[in-house]
Structure formats: structure tokens, C-alpha cells
Amino acid sequence: MIHLSAITRTFHMGDQVVNALSDINLHIASGEYVSIMGPSGSGKSTLLNIIGLLDRPDSGRYELDDRLITDLPETEQAQIRREKIGFVFQSFHLIPRLTAAENIELPLVLSGIPPEQRQIRVNDALQAFELKQRASHRPAELSGGQRQRVAIARATIMRPSVILADEPTGNLDHQIGAEVMALLENLHHGGTTLIVVTHDRELGARAHRQIAMRDGKILTDQTDDAG
Amino acid sequence: MTLVDTLQTSFKTVVSYRVRSLLIILAMALGVAAVVVLTALGDGARQYVINQFSSIGTNLLVVLPGRAETSGSFLGAVLGQTPRDLTLKDAQLLGRLPQVRRYAPLNVGAAELSGANRLREVTVLGSNADLIPIRHMKLAQGGFLAHGTERNAQIVLGAKIANEFFPRSQAIGQRVRLGDSRFIVSGVLAAQGESMGFNTDEIVIIPIDYAQAMFNTTSLFRILIEAKSHNVIEPAKQAILAALKQSHDGEEDITVITQDAILATFDRILHTMTLAVAGIAAISLIVAGILVMNVMLVAVNQRTAEIGLLKAIGATSRDIRRLFFAEAVWLSFAGAILGFLLGQSGSLMLRLAYPQLPAWAPAWASIAGILVALITGVLACLWPASQAARLDAVKALSKR
Ligand SMILES: Nc1ncnc2c1ncn2[C@@H]1O[C@H](COP(=O)(O)OP(=O)(O)OP(=O)(O)O)[C@@H](O)[C@H]1O
Ligand SMILES: [Mg+2]
């Protein structure tokens, strides 16, 4: 479903040129569980952002579900983000003045789904992520694990086909991180494509396919036969 | 994102930044309130002056001796000429003009009034019976020079004087002495209070012949003319000028002032003043608009990460622009409404404090105040909103 060919992304910092991604070729099939690892600055986040349509490559082709994405206008890219892609970030990125339920509801609001339906779906999500008691709490009143659960609930409320997680456990302790990973893997078992960027070898090893990056290039790309 | 959701979401944002929102709303409100109160004051003053001026008569023309032009009187002074006096004959001549409904010759002086063991100095008006209706004066009791009594030594007392001299007994029919002459009280004016700096409660009115004898003069201070209708005020003025020019050997040595012209002048001046004051107040709205712009720019900066997140979960640039836009609309809307209410209650307090002053803000001022507030608020937001919409999602997200 995800098809990247000859993707490059270059940043210019003054006279310095940073090749964040150079000539990336990558194919990820629907329902895969992929981890991306590599040292800091190797281009993992940049790759994820391009897959998630938050960033545009300088050159190369990107096809998502057999549709050439690279040159789509902004509004259509936004629609694809809304409907097909769920983002989970290291720093949760919850809106502080909204309650847990309202944060989860946000993508539904952006899609113009009527309030009654939103209510039902948010309630289901709160139930599924064990956040029922925290529904009307603001992010500041939640623990890190709860915040990430809210973020995952928000990322999945539109039932996207791909979940992109950029170091989802980076701000959580080991135990809670493992719980959050279990939640994400659960989504994968439900059929969602899961792409996780992580520094944690142990977590990365849980993915069926492990991609290692360095200096904007894919170093290795291994798929476990088992799983 | 639907319009209702956009409005609701931005409303929640406005509510959650309580202090910030209240400050902007207050700034907007004060601007609108200033427009409303100041125009209420200006228009109230205009109404007040016009009411006062209207109350002194209807379709009134005033004839006075001398030319109003400075050059004329200057030349007259240089040549040692004094303008020809107005006489009773002139007044009678004017009374016969077809455009004139009635006329009242007028002499003014001061004399001592005595009677009922009291003595005081009073302002004396000498005139005829028509003075009362022409000047819109009202008699509380009795009459003045009713038909067949034109030559009688009658006197009309102002309300306060009647009360001072005859507090317990009926004033009508009492004998009083004014200067060296005796008069019979024929009427008492209704209390009117001060109007145009002239208190009719403390005057007395006597027939013009007696006044001229008392003050030893044959000339008149003024002739008051009431035109037959509003339409003939100007023709009446021309006729008066022509008639008196003819009887004064071809010299135009009088001035005719119409109440209408004075009213129009006051109306114009005070209306312009109200406009000017409204304009000055509106400047404070522009200042409030700049405040809104500043606050919205800060908000965009503060909420950069949030904007990035919204983009990540699928908001379009349009959604984001509209969200910030709606926020500014809410703020200016609330400010405009609050300001309108503040301004109206301010005007109400003015009216309570000064009952003579009809301090109602004109509708155009209230509407303009609210519109200017909304428009500046919305304009002030265009730039911050487009800044927000233009933010690069990745950079926005990476900002802590
Ligand atoms: N907006 C930007 N402007 C300039 N340079 C950038 C920008 N974003 C990324 N880079 C550079 O591109 C390279 C890749 O960055 P990227 O964020 O993808 O790395 P990463 O693998 O996610 O690193 P980390 O593990 O630290 O998150 C880095 O050298 C980074 O400095
Ligand atoms: Mg990164």
C-alpha cells in the first residue's frame, strides 16, 4: 500500500546542506508491522513525516493505495491524513485546554461527522482504551501512559489504515511503554498497518519487519519469517 | 469542519483563555461604549438646544434695529449715523403683511414693583396681547389685554413674583405699583423655569404704551413676528425687509433673524460635533483592533504546536484560518454587544443625572460602533489567521 521510490529530502541550514533522506526506496504492504531504528539524525522522523503527508519530498514518487500522492493539492493531502493516517507522537501533542474525550473527538470534528455519531464513537474509544473514568479530565490531570492512550485513541478514532508512531514510548517508563506498545500491536492485530520509529532495540525487535537507517539511507531491511 | 463546529470550537477556546478574552472584550467594549455614550451626549445636547429654541415660538421672526453686518455698522459708526429706530408704527405696518399671522412689539426694562407691603426690582416686558401666544408663554390664571381692554393698565406677573407678592390670596384683580404707575393684575404666567437664559417666572408684562411711557422712549427693542406657516417664513422675511426699507426712506437698516435659520445652524453645528466626537471614539476601536491583532499573533505563536497537531490529524489550512478567524469574531462580537449595553446604560445614567438632556445615542451611532468593532476585529485577525494557516506542520510539531 505504501510505495516510496527514489525519495530525497534535503534541508538547507545557511550554507549547510543536510540530506535528511537520500534515494529511499521502500514498499510496505497493508497490515505490516514495521519498526524503523537508527541513530539520532538519521532521517527516521523525516521518513515518517513524508509517509504521513506532513512533509513533501524534494524528489521521488510516493504512492499510497496505488494513488500518486506527491503532487496532490494541500486539501486532498489533508483529507488523506484525516481518513487514512493516524499519528502518535513522543510528546503526545494533546491540546491542553480540551478534555480527554474532546481530544479524542477532534479528528471526527475536523471530518464534519455529526455530533451524535461522534458521541458514540468517542464513548467506544474511551471504553476500548480504558479511559472512561478520565473522559472529562484535561491532559495536565493525566499520567503519561494515560496521555499516550488518549493520543492513540485519537489516532485511531477515524479507523485509519496506517498508524505512524514516532517514538511513542520515548517519554514513558519501561513498564508503561510496554503497555502502550501492546495497545499499538493490538491495532496491528486488527489489521492496521503499524510503523514505529524507536530507539529501543528491544521494542524494535518486536516488529515483524525492522528497518535500520543511517545518514538518510536505509541500511538494512529485515523481515522475520515467524509472526 | 462544519461551520457550527468551527464556531463551537473557537468559542470554547475563547472561554478557556478567560482573562485574555475578557481583556480584549473589555477593550472592544469600551470603544463601542465610548461611541455610544459620546454620541448620546452630543445628540442629547443637540436635541436640548433645539427643544429650547423651538419652545420660544413657532415660525418666529425677530426684527431688530441696525444691520447685522459688521461693515455696515462700522461704516455707520464712522459716519456718525445711528440706525433708525423701530417704532410701533413699523410694528403695525408689519402686522398687516399677508404672510404675518401676528406680531408683538417688545420693549424691555427694569422697574420697581410694589404692592402688598412688598417691593422688588423686576424685569419689565412691554408688549401686546399677542406676545403670550407668539412666545409660547402660558397663563396660569387670568388674561392679558383681552379684547376691549387694550388700553387698560393691566399687568401680568411671572409665577414666582405672583407667589412672592400674593402667596395666600388670589393675585388677579390686585393693585400693584410699577415705577410710578398703577396697574391691576390681570394674569399670572404659568411657571416655566429658565429657557434660553431667560427666566419668565421673574418678569412682569405690561402694555407697550405704558412701557414706552415708563422708559420714556418711542423706539422698540424688538418686533416679534409669527409667520402664517413654515413655508412663508422666507417670503415673510423678504416682505418685512421690503416694507421697512420703504418706510425708512429706502434704507435697509434693520435685521431680520428667523428662528428657523438659527435652529438649522445649531442643528448643523451640533450634529457635526456629534459626528466628530463619534469619530474620535471610533479611534479607540481601531486601537482595540490592533490589540486584537497583537493578541491573535501571540496566540498563533503560543499554539504553534497545536496548529501542527491539527494539521497532522487532517485539518486543512482553511480549517485553521477559520478557527482563528472565528475566535476573533467571537471576541469582537462579545465586545461589541457588551459595549453597546455599557453605552446604553451610560446614556441612561446621563439621562437620570440630567433629566433635561435627552441623551439617547442615535441609531446610526450604535450601529456604526458595533460594525466598526466587528470589522476591525475581523480585519485585525486576517493576518494572524493566515500566519497560522501557513505554518509548516513538521516545524510546528517540533516546537515545544
Ligand atoms: N526542519 C528542518 N530543518 C533543517 N534540518 C532538519 C529539519 N528537520 C530535520 N532536519 C535534519 O534532518 C536530519 C534528519 O532529521 P530527523 O528528525 O529525521 O532525524 P531522526 O532520525 O528522527 O532523529 P532523532 O532520533 O533524533 O529524532 C537531521 O540532521 C536534522 O538535523
Ligand atoms: Mg525523530
Side-chain angles (χ1 to χ4, degrees):
Chain A
M1 66 176 314
I2 293 168
H3 210 115
L4 300 173
S5 40
I7 294 285
T8 62
R9 182 70 172 108
T10 316
F11 293 107
H12 300 269
M13 301 274 283
D15 356 311
Q16 241 186 325
V17 177
V18 181
N19 291 310
L21 294 178
S22 43
D23 193 29
I24 296 285
N25 294 290
L26 181 64
H27 180 86
I28 297 174
S30 186
E32 272 194 276
Y33 176 8
V34 183
S35 70
I36 303 175
M37 289 185 287
S40 187
S42 56
K44 308 181 295 290
S45 296
T46 305
L47 179 61
L48 210 64
N49 289 337
I50 284 176
I51 294 174
L53 302 180
L54 277 184
D55 199 3
R56 284 171 191 254
D58 295 316
S59 65
R61 283 168 64 87
Y62 173 20
E63 282 168 56
L64 179 64
D65 291 340
D66 299 324
R67 188 159 169 219
L68 183 65
I69 297 300
T70 340
D71 296 324
L72 281 184
E74 195 256 6
T75 39
E76 281 182 53
Q77 292 206 351
Q79 191 188 352
I80 293 172
R81 279 204 296 277
R82 216 156 46 221
E83 291 170 357
K84 295 194 172 172
I85 295 164
F87 270 104
V88 178
F89 303 97
Q90 176 176 1
S91 51
F92 321 130
H93 280 300
L94 300 178
I95 294 182
R97 54 177 190 282
L98 300 183
T99 63
E102 287 168 337
N103 268 292
I104 295 171
E105 190 187 13
L106 219 43
L108 301 174
V109 175
L110 287 173
S111 304
I113 289 168
E116 316 81 59
Q117 281 185 44
R118 299 204 300 246
Q119 200 64 44
I120 297 168
R121 282 167 74 170
V122 169
N123 269 331
D124 290 351
L126 286 167
Q127 193 87 53
F129 291 95
E130 293 170 34
L131 288 163
K132 205 97 205 170
Q133 270 78 41
R134 298 280 172 264
S136 55
H137 288 221
R138 285 171 213 284
E141 302 155 357
L142 300 175
S143 73
Q146 287 166 340
R147 286 184 212 179
Q148 198 59 300
R149 292 216 298 274
V150 172
I152 295 171
R154 179 181 63 194
T156 54
I157 194 85
M158 290 292 292
R159 299 179 194 122
S161 44
V162 190
I163 295 280
L164 304 174
D166 196 347
E167 302 190 35
T169 62
N171 280 358
L172 303 173
D173 66 36
H174 193 76
Q175 159 88 36
I176 305 289
E179 284 173 26
V180 163
M181 277 316 293
L183 280 177
L184 289 173
E185 282 163 9
N186 233 356
L187 295 170
H188 158 66
H189 292 311
T192 312
T193 310
L194 179 61
I195 305 176
V196 181
V197 167
T198 181
H199 271 122
D200 187 326
R201 297 203 161 277
E202 196 184 321
L203 286 182
R206 289 162 69 151
H208 310 141
R209 181 173 170 191
Q210 296 141 25
I211 295 173
M213 291 187 67
R214 172 167 294 177
D215 298 334
K217 292 193 181 72
I218 293 179
L219 210 62
T220 59
D221 184 348
Q222 295 178 311
T223 306
D224 294 347
D225 292 330
Chain B
M1 197 164 184
T2 65
L3 184 64
V4 175
D5 282 329
T6 307
L7 288 174
Q8 248 172 28
T9 308
S10 53
F11 182 76
K12 276 193 226 156
T13 311
V14 166
V15 172
S16 64
Y17 290 99
R18 199 163 297 133
V19 175
R20 185 210 71 169
S21 299
L22 280 180
L23 284 177
I24 297 187
I25 289 171
L26 200 64
M28 274 282 175
L30 288 180
V32 175
V35 171
V36 171
V37 170
L38 290 177
T39 53
L41 198 62
D43 206 57
R46 185 180 70 90
Q47 292 285 355
Y48 174 77
V49 169
I50 286 174
N51 288 346
Q52 292 281 300
F53 236 90
S54 305
S55 72
I56 66 167
T58 309
N59 305 331
L60 193 64
L61 295 98
V62 180
V63 183
L64 46 151
R67 291 295 302 268
E69 283 92 336
T70 35
S71 64
S73 63
F74 175 71
L75 195 66
V78 168
L79 297 177
Q81 291 173 334
T82 46
R84 200 175 302 233
D85 291 339
L86 280 173
T87 62
L88 261 179
K89 252 214 189 100
D90 290 333
Q92 284 154 2
L93 177 71
L94 299 183
R96 285 195 292 273
L97 290 173
Q99 298 89 347
V100 172
R101 168 168 294 151
R102 48 195 166 196
Y103 74 98
L106 191 62
N107 265 332
V108 180
E112 257 174 13
L113 180 70
S114 60
N117 297 325
R118 283 176 170 273
L119 180 81
R120 70 163 279 186
E121 178 144 311
V122 293
T123 301
V124 180
L125 302 189
S127 191
N128 61 13
D130 281 338
L131 176 70
I132 310 281
I134 288 177
R135 268 292 274 103
H136 284 190
M137 290 193 250
K138 287 198 181 62
L139 287 165
Q141 308 164 36
F144 181 53
L145 303 177
H147 196 64
T149 64
E150 284 90 348
R151 308 234 135 244
N152 290 9
Q154 295 188 345
I155 187 166
V156 170
L157 304 182
K160 194 172 166 204
I161 290 172
N163 198 41
E164 272 176 23
F165 278 72
F166 308 106
R168 272 175 294 277
S169 56
Q170 173 71 260
I172 305 285
Q174 300 280 359
R175 289 170 183 283
V176 292
R177 176 182 278 274
L178 183 67
D180 295 329
S181 316
R182 296 174 174 284
F183 290 88
I184 289 183
V185 177
S186 70
V188 176
L189 288 174
Q192 272 188 315
E194 194 157 332
S195 101
M196 302 303 295
F198 188 69
N199 195 339
T200 55
D201 296 349
E202 299 192 53
I203 59 163
V204 301
I205 306 173
I206 57 173
I208 185 78
D209 299 344
Y210 289 85
Q212 292 200 327
M214 185 179 297
F215 302 128
N216 193 23
T217 176
T218 55
S219 66
L220 294 175
F221 175 59
R222 299 277 188 271
I223 303 172
L224 305 183
I225 306 276
E226 186 178 315
K228 278 197 171 133
S229 71
H230 190 258
N231 292 335
V232 299
I233 291 174
E234 198 48 35
K237 179 178 175 178
Q238 297 310 326
I240 291 165
L241 285 171
L244 289 183
K245 185 174 180 180
Q246 199 176 29
S247 81
H248 287 187
D249 304 328
E251 274 209 54
E252 259 193 44
D253 55 1
I254 57 142
T255 302
V256 179
I257 300 170
T258 68
Q259 179 190 17
D260 217 40
I262 296 176
L263 262 179
T265 308
F266 268 112
D267 190 59
R268 212 168 44 240
I269 292 172
L270 288 167
H271 190 72
T272 310
M273 218 177 70
T274 306
L275 271 179
V277 160
I280 292 168
I283 291 174
S284 66
L285 277 174
I286 309 284
V287 174
I290 292 170
L291 184 73
V292 170
M293 186 190 298
N294 188 41
V295 166
M296 293 313 288
L297 280 174
V298 171
V300 170
N301 199 34
Q302 264 177 353
R303 283 186 244 156
T304 300
E306 183 182 319
I307 295 164
L309 178 270
L310 284 173
K311 289 198 166 180
I313 61 175
T316 59
S317 299
R318 185 160 164 268
D319 289 335
I320 289 173
R321 198 177 313 115
R322 283 173 152 211
L323 275 172
F324 278 91
F325 201 68
E327 207 173 315
V329 170
W330 279 122
L331 290 171
S332 353
F333 187 71
I337 297 301
L338 181 69
F340 177 74
L341 295 178
L342 274 180
Q344 290 298 347
S345 40
S347 311
L348 176 67
M349 288 199 275
L350 270 179
R351 292 196 297 273
L352 291 177
Y354 305 98
Q356 326 83 298
L357 193 71
W360 296 91
W364 63 260
S366 300
I367 293 171
I370 290 174
L371 279 184
V372 171
L374 289 179
I375 291 170
T376 47
V378 164
L379 285 183
C381 193
L382 287 179
W383 185 43
S386 76
Q387 292 285 101
R390 258 207 305 272
L391 276 180
D392 177 73
V394 177
K395 277 189 199 153
L397 275 170
S398 63
K399 190 187 160 179
R400 293 290 142 86

